[in-house]
C-alpha cells in the first residue's frame, strides 16, 4: 500500500535525482520542465494554486518512492499527471495502479471534479494498461505529437467520468 503526502521543498532534491535524462523528464512531465530539472523550476511548479503535487510514500518504511500530481484544468476537470515511481526497486509491483486510484479518489471526493483526464505516450503500454484497469478510456479526439531527439512521440489522452 502507498500514501500520498504533500510534495514539499524538502522533496525537491530527491525528485531531481530520479530524473536523470531529458527523455525521462519528458516521459514523466511532458514539457512543463526543461532538462536538467532544477530547484528553481520546482519552486515555480509548486506555487501554482491549481496544482496538487504529492510525494508517494511507502507507509511501512516512510520512504518516498515516487511523485504524482493532480492539476485542475477547470473547476470540474482534473488532469492526473507527472506520475513517477522514482525508486526503481518499486517499479512493476502494481503501485502505479494504487497511485492512480488514490489520485482519482482525491479528485472526485476532495476536489469535487466530475471528470479526470491524463495524457500518456502511446509507446508506454504498461502505463496505458494501468490506466485502463482504473477505468480510463482513450479519447481519440485529443492526440498530440512532439519531436524528442529526432523521434516523433505521440501522446494520447484518456478520460474517466465520475459515476454518480
Amino acid at each position: 500500500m502507498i500514501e500520498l503526502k504533500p510534495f514539499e521543498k524538502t522533496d525537491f532534491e530527491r525528485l531531481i535525482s530520479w530524473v536523470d535524462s531529458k527523455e525521462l523528464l519528458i516521459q514523466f512531465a511532458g514539457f512543463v520542465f526543461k532538462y536538467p530539472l532544477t530547484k528553481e523550476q520546482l519552486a515555480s511548479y509548486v506555487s501554482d494554486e491549481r496544482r496538487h503535487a504529492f510525494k508517494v510514500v511507502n507507509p511501512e518504511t516512510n520512504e518516498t518512492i515516487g511523485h504524482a500530481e493532480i492539476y485542475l484544468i477547470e473547476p470540474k476537470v482534473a488532469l492526473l499527471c507527472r506520475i513517477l515511481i522514482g525508486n526503481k526497486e518499486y517499479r512493476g509491483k502494481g503501485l502505479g495502479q494504487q497511485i492512480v486510484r488514490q489520485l482519482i479518489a482525491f479528485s472526485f471526493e476532495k476536489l469535487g471534479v466530475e471528470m479526470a483526464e491524463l495524457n500518456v505516450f502511446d509507446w508506454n503500454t504498461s502505463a496505458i494498461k494501468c490506466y485502463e484497469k482504473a477505468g480510463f478510456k482513450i479519447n481519440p479526439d485529443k492526440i498530440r505529437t512532439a519531436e524528442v531527439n529526432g523521434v516523433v512521440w505521440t501522446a494520447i489522452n484518456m478520460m474517466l467520468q465520475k459515476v454518480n
Side-chain angles (χ1 to χ4, degrees):
M1 197 63 184
I2 55 99
E3 290 180 353
L4 299 179
K5 294 186 176 180
F7 179 71
E8 301 166 329
K9 191 174 183 177
T10 55
D11 301 307
F12 289 5
E13 275 300 329
R14 182 184 310 102
L15 182 57
I16 289 168
S17 74
W18 288 336
V19 183
D20 58 4
S21 71
K22 177 182 175 184
E23 294 78 14
L24 179 59
L25 182 63
I26 294 169
Q27 179 184 352
F28 155 67
F31 296 93
V32 168
F33 303 120
K34 288 188 171 40
Y35 187 79
L37 187 56
T38 63
K39 290 179 185 178
E40 292 76 20
Q41 289 180 77
L42 290 172
S44 176
Y45 163 79
V46 296
S47 70
D48 186 332
E49 292 178 4
R50 294 177 295 174
R51 202 175 299 285
H52 299 269
F54 302 96
K55 58 185 168 188
V56 179
V57 177
N58 174 345
E60 293 176 12
T61 63
N62 207 33
E63 177 186 6
T64 298
I65 61 169
H67 183 85
E69 177 191 332
I70 299 167
Y71 185 80
L72 291 175
I73 302 172
E74 45 190 78
K76 296 291 181 184
V77 181
L79 181 68
L80 309 188
C81 48
R82 286 165 267 298
I83 300 168
L84 175 69
I85 305 286
N87 183 326
K88 293 176 183 165
E89 293 174 28
Y90 288 92
R91 291 183 186 165
K93 299 184 185 300
L95 298 176
Q97 186 71 227
Q98 291 180 40
I99 294 168
V100 170
R101 290 193 186 282
Q102 287 193 29
L103 291 172
I104 291 167
F106 190 95
S107 297
F108 290 162
E109 296 165 15
K110 294 198 168 120
L111 299 177
V113 303
E114 298 294 325
M115 182 170 39
E117 292 187 22
L118 57 83
N119 297 302
V120 59
F121 290 108
D122 64 351
W123 47 261
N124 194 346
T125 55
S126 60
I128 293 168
K129 286 177 187 171
C130 170
Y131 303 143
E132 287 175 334
K133 283 182 188 174
F136 281 86
K137 304 278 186 235
I138 294 173
N139 175 4
D141 297 328
K142 273 191 177 178
I143 295 175
R144 296 173 55 197
T145 59
E147 190 173 313
V148 180
N149 294 334
V151 177
V152 175
W153 287 13
T154 301
I156 57 175
N157 178 268
M158 300 180 79
M159 302 170 76
L160 175 67
Q161 191 77 35
K162 180 179 180 181
V163 179
N164 293 323

